Amino acid sequence: MSCKRLLSFLLITGLFCIPSVLQAETMLFVTGGMSPPYVYEESGQIRGMDVDVIKKFCAANDITPKFEAYPWKRSLMLTERGGAHGIFSLFRTDEREKFLYYPDVPINHVKTVVIGLRENNYTVNSLEDLKGHNIGVISGYKYGPDFDEMEGLNKSFCKDKRELITMLDRGRVDVTMDAEAVFWFKVNEYGFDPDKFEILHVVTSNPIYVGFSQPALGERGKVLADKFETFFNTLKENGSLKEIRSQYQ
């Protein structure tokens, strides 16, 4: 083979090799809680406002994200054993910090709130103010020990979110308890008028995070957690985070 032909062959071969070299890294993010609008499954795809934030972070860092949902126990096991690179949206605990790197900023907050009809003009400054009211809740749900263990409350148990919102909409209960973002998402999904309802009191506000697997990523997981913190703060400052979340309200 002549030098010229050999050079041409090497150049062509090199061009075919470039895409594999530059190909974005694929990372698996798992979740265990289907809780719209934070994360949920639609038409076989994992969607949600937290999913969109992770996608934007990955795009900015040349990462191709893959999302899979399992029961929480399995999702945690996968990240603990290095079978997944990241996990979301979960609470931060000392036990989980043994195998996860967390950004210092949460990806979101889960607010448990008391909701009523605007026309009733109720004032709720504490759980004590709920006494004497008919409160809509979902059977089997936990709303926090202060509410769950409180005596003297009149609770009406509903089988699901649709029944809960319907009961409030029709005045069959005075107030309901729910996660704020989930409530508004379901109000719109089911076709209720959101202007009829108002948040009366925030019972709890708990941060939820994205975690990066230490076994799967090593020290790079800490680097990614730090990068996520910086990226998330930028999203807040430039208004992109508000834009993402507004799509789910």
Side-chain angles (χ1 to χ4, degrees):
M1 182 180 292
S2 68
C3 290
K4 183 180 289 186
R5 290 180 64 186
L6 178 60
L7 180 59
S8 298
F9 174 77
L10 292 175
L11 286 173
I12 292 171
T13 304
L15 288 173
F16 279 109
C17 291
I18 288 174
S20 63
V21 174
L22 298 180
Q23 186 177 9
E25 173 190 12
T26 298
M27 286 181 56
L28 173 61
F29 291 87
V30 294
T31 187
M34 292 290 101
S35 182
Y38 305 104
V39 54
Y40 60 99
E41 189 171 353
E42 183 178 78
S43 302
Q45 299 293 318
I46 306 297
R47 299 192 59 216
M49 60 172 67
D50 292 352
V51 176
D52 288 352
V53 170
I54 294 172
K55 283 181 177 179
K56 283 187 175 293
F57 169 74
C58 288
N61 288 275
D62 199 28
I63 296 169
T64 299
K66 182 181 179 183
F67 299 96
E68 293 181 1
Y70 301 100
W72 267 120
K73 187 175 181 179
R74 184 177 177 188
S75 291
L76 287 166
M77 181 188 69
L78 282 169
T79 50
E80 185 174 10
R81 297 182 179 179
H85 301 91
I87 185 170
F88 71 106
S89 300
L90 77 168
F91 296 119
R92 185 171 185 169
T93 67
D94 292 341
E95 183 64 27
R96 293 171 182 174
E97 290 202 43
K98 295 176 182 178
F99 59 91
L100 291 174
Y101 290 113
Y102 287 96
D104 284 340
V105 296
I107 194 171
N108 222 318
H109 285 80
V110 176
K111 291 183 180 180
T112 301
V113 295
V114 180
I115 308 125
L117 293 173
R118 289 186 184 278
E119 63 184 28
N120 290 337
N121 293 316
Y122 291 140
T123 298
V124 178
N125 295 315
S126 69
L127 293 180
E128 285 290 332
D129 293 332
L130 295 178
K131 292 182 177 180
H133 290 299
N134 189 5
I135 310 159
V137 296
I138 296 180
S139 298
Y141 270 45
K142 299 295 183 183
Y143 296 91
D146 290 344
F147 177 80
D148 296 337
E149 299 169 12
M150 192 172 186
E151 297 181 356
L153 297 179
N154 180 23
K155 301 177 183 179
S156 292
F157 293 93
C158 304
K159 66 179 185 293
D160 54 31
K161 298 282 187 183
R162 185 186 291 272
E163 182 179 3
L164 184 77
I165 299 171
T166 299
M167 293 279 282
L168 180 61
D169 182 72
R170 296 179 180 178
R172 295 179 182 174
V173 295
D174 298 324
V175 297
T176 64
M177 295 277 289
D178 205 352
E180 182 179 19
V182 177
F183 177 81
W184 292 123
F185 183 85
K186 289 298 183 180
V187 162
N188 287 310
E189 180 182 2
Y190 297 147
F192 291 94
D193 180 6
D195 291 333
K196 291 186 66 174
F197 310 107
E198 65 175 340
I199 304 300
L200 300 174
H201 179 61
V202 177
V203 181
T204 60
S205 180
N206 296 309
I208 51 178
Y209 293 82
V210 56
F212 295 91
S213 170
Q214 295 179 21
L217 295 164
E219 285 299 315
R220 184 161 177 267
K222 178 65 169 64
V223 173
L224 287 172
D226 291 341
K227 283 187 174 182
F228 185 89
E229 178 180 346
T230 301
F231 179 81
F232 188 83
N233 287 331
T234 300
L235 285 186
K236 287 172 58 178
E237 292 167 4
N238 65 22
S240 297
L241 182 63
K242 183 178 181 180
E243 183 178 339
I244 290 171
R245 291 177 176 174
S246 67
Q247 300 175 40
Y248 295 91
Q249 295 176 351

